[in-house]
Amino acid sequence: MNITHFFASSVGKKAIMSLTGAMLGLFLLTHLAGNISMFFGRESFIAYAEHLHSLGSLIHLFEFGLLIVFILHVYYALMLFFENRKARPVRYAVDRSSGGSTYASKTMPYTGAFIFVFIFVHLMNFHFTDHSISIADIVRNNLQNPLLSFYYVASVFALGMHTSHGFWSLFQTMGINHPRYDNFLQQGAIVISVIGAAIYSSFPAFTYLFKSFLL
Amino acid sequence: MSIINLHLKIWRQENSKAQGRFVSYESGPVSTDMSFLEMIDVLNERLTLDGQEPVAFDHDCREGICGMCGAVVNGHAHGHKNATTLCQLHMRHFSDGDTIVIEPFRARAFKVVKDLVVDRSAFDTLIASGGYVSVNTGGAQDGNAIPISQKIADQALDASACIGCGACVASCPNASAMLFVGAKISQLALLPQGQPERAKRALDMLNTMDLLGFGNCSNERECEAACPKNISIRHIARLNREYIKAAFLSD
């Protein structure tokens, strides 16, 4: 079978969702690990940021790769979403869960859309902004705003919901499911998402609550 | 045994082209020992005597093994009881005065023929596209000539429990047939007799599923929860594996 045909099939499209989702997930974990340097004080956070920028073209290459992965994830998500809606033209009058789906799994397209908007806001706040001041001050200027700080916490919550289903789902899609470890993967996805979201939301929360944070 | 009275809201649709609508009926006295289909039988007798069109619904064995019956009852395919076909759902699971909404299975690939009857021939098309083994020659050989471990045989039998009722499609938020196709692919991929056509089967059945207008699996596990035979989504994972392997590695 021709490879383009594979990526046009339902399993192929989902394999793309799964693989790009895994890459975005790995990026999230790396981003999280880097941001933890905020808790080691202003100097270490700035040092971390400068260290990243000193990578030069390597970092641009990585950014470009990430953009491609992100576009693929969103493009295929939209395609699958509309195909899936079309597969049931007449909806049920009474639609109840039989017990399989979770709140997170049901809301994947919506949490995804929420995250999509957040990424634009986040990039406008931190990437396409005046870099003549230090990154620590950019964080403080943005996240001491209560509305923006709350929006960041809410977005991180949506992200945690999204990955709590996604981190398990991507294994299932790639055919990795075994009675011995499937439960571990399902619970693990939730645990990682809860811990990740808790740490991520601590950055806007700390910046807003403690006025001397990163000073 | 006790007697209950129910308010029924049943989907009535003249034919596949007609516009359907819900019609309310009073069940009259229903014995709690009746099955769900017997409850509709009693209603139909009354409708017939009153000179009205009885409610069309699919059924055959009425012992939960043929896969012919099925409707969505209060939002659940085959009703709310776990691992039960509609014919095996007893009225003792309902209370006096309940309102029960009965709808046909909904999917683009399952057209409504009349009332609660849907055309599930898309499943036959799927089976014809690869859900079989070809044994083209020779007489029947001894049953023990092909050794197979008990563990594998058990897994294949678990997959073969699928009765093809379509509840997985009906309950899937995306109307996907992955659990049905997964069960068939699994059953034959596990058994020695399924090996010669293994890769071709995975490719053909899944491509046919896509063509028939079923949705894509989003791992919501609703099918597994609704399946009257408790088919596990582990078989969907095996289908994914079989398809990916066949797409990249088969000749």
Side-chain angles (χ1 to χ4, degrees), chain A residues 92-198:
Chain A
Y92 288 112
V94 184
D95 200 355
R96 292 217 180 93
S97 165
S98 297
S101 64
T102 59
Y103 195 68
S105 74
K106 268 186 280 198
T107 54
M108 284 304 269
Y110 313 110
T111 48
F114 201 87
I115 298 161
F116 183 81
V117 174
F118 169 72
I119 287 172
F120 272 90
V121 174
H122 186 46
L123 285 177
M124 292 313 285
N125 288 341
F126 288 94
H127 195 80
F128 301 107
T129 185
D130 177 21
H131 279 277
S132 60
I133 56 171
S134 82
I135 185 70
D137 291 320
I138 297 178
V139 170
R140 284 168 52 80
N141 287 348
N142 280 312
L143 297 180
Q144 284 194 347
N145 176 342
L147 272 178
L148 206 56
S149 179
F150 176 76
Y151 176 64
Y152 268 66
V153 174
S155 302
V156 164
F157 183 76
L159 185 62
M161 290 255 293
H162 199 75
T163 57
S164 72
H165 177 68
F167 281 166
W168 164 77
S169 188
L170 67 91
F171 286 102
Q172 167 78 10
T173 296
M174 294 312 288
I176 301 167
N177 180 331
H178 189 284
R180 208 170 290 148
Y181 50 73
D182 191 53
N183 200 39
F184 170 77
L185 287 178
Q186 276 187 41
Q187 305 305 321
I190 296 172
V191 169
I192 288 189
S193 300
V194 168
I195 295 176

Side-chain angles (χ1 to χ4, degrees), chain B residues 101-114:
Chain B
V101 181
I102 312 170
E103 308 172 68
F105 287 173
R106 301 276 191 206
R108 182 167 52 149
F110 289 172
K111 290 273 178 301
V112 173
V113 177
K114 186 182 169 117

Side-chain angles (χ1 to χ4, degrees), chain A residues 63-102:
Chain A
E63 278 173 350
F64 181 71
L66 194 61
L67 181 70
I68 299 290
V69 167
F70 179 72
I71 289 172
L72 278 174
H73 195 73
V74 173
Y75 177 76
Y76 276 88
L78 284 172
M79 187 152 57
L80 289 166
F81 177 75
F82 288 114
E83 279 180 12
N84 289 344
R85 284 199 69 85
K86 243 182 30 199
R88 177 165 293 135
V90 185
R91 319 299 294 181
Y92 288 112
V94 184
D95 200 355
R96 292 217 180 93
S97 165
S98 297
S101 64
T102 59

Side-chain angles (χ1 to χ4, degrees), chain A residues 189-209:
Chain A
I190 296 172
V191 169
I192 288 189
S193 300
V194 168
I195 295 176
I199 301 177
Y200 262 125
S201 57
S202 71
F203 306 131
F206 273 58
T207 319
Y208 173 64
L209 293 174

Side-chain angles (χ1 to χ4, degrees), chain A residues 1 9-10 14 80 83-84 87-88 92-94 96-98 100-101 105 165 168-169 172-173 175 177 179 186, chain B residues 22 74-76 103 106 108 169-170 172 174 210 216-222 225 233-234 237 240-241 243 247:
Chain A
M1 192 177 76
S9 72
S10 59
K14 283 161 42 51
L80 289 166
E83 279 180 12
N84 289 344
R88 177 165 293 135
Y92 288 112
V94 184
R96 292 217 180 93
S97 165
S98 297
S101 64
S105 74
H165 177 68
W168 164 77
S169 188
Q172 167 78 10
T173 296
N177 180 331
Q186 276 187 41
Chain B
F22 281 100
N74 286 339
H76 298 287
E103 308 172 68
R106 301 276 191 206
R108 182 167 52 149
V169 176
C172 174
N174 313 324
D210 289 349
N216 307 287
C217 176
S218 58
N219 300 331
E220 300 235 33
R221 295 169 282 207
E222 280 294 310
I233 55 161
R234 203 184 155 194
N240 289 335
R241 219 151 58 215
Y243 187 76

Side-chain angles (χ1 to χ4, degrees), chain B residues 224-238:
Chain B
E224 180 184 68
C227 177
K229 296 296 155 186
N230 275 344
I231 306 283
S232 165
I233 55 161
R234 203 184 155 194
H235 298 299
I236 296 183
R238 186 176 283 107

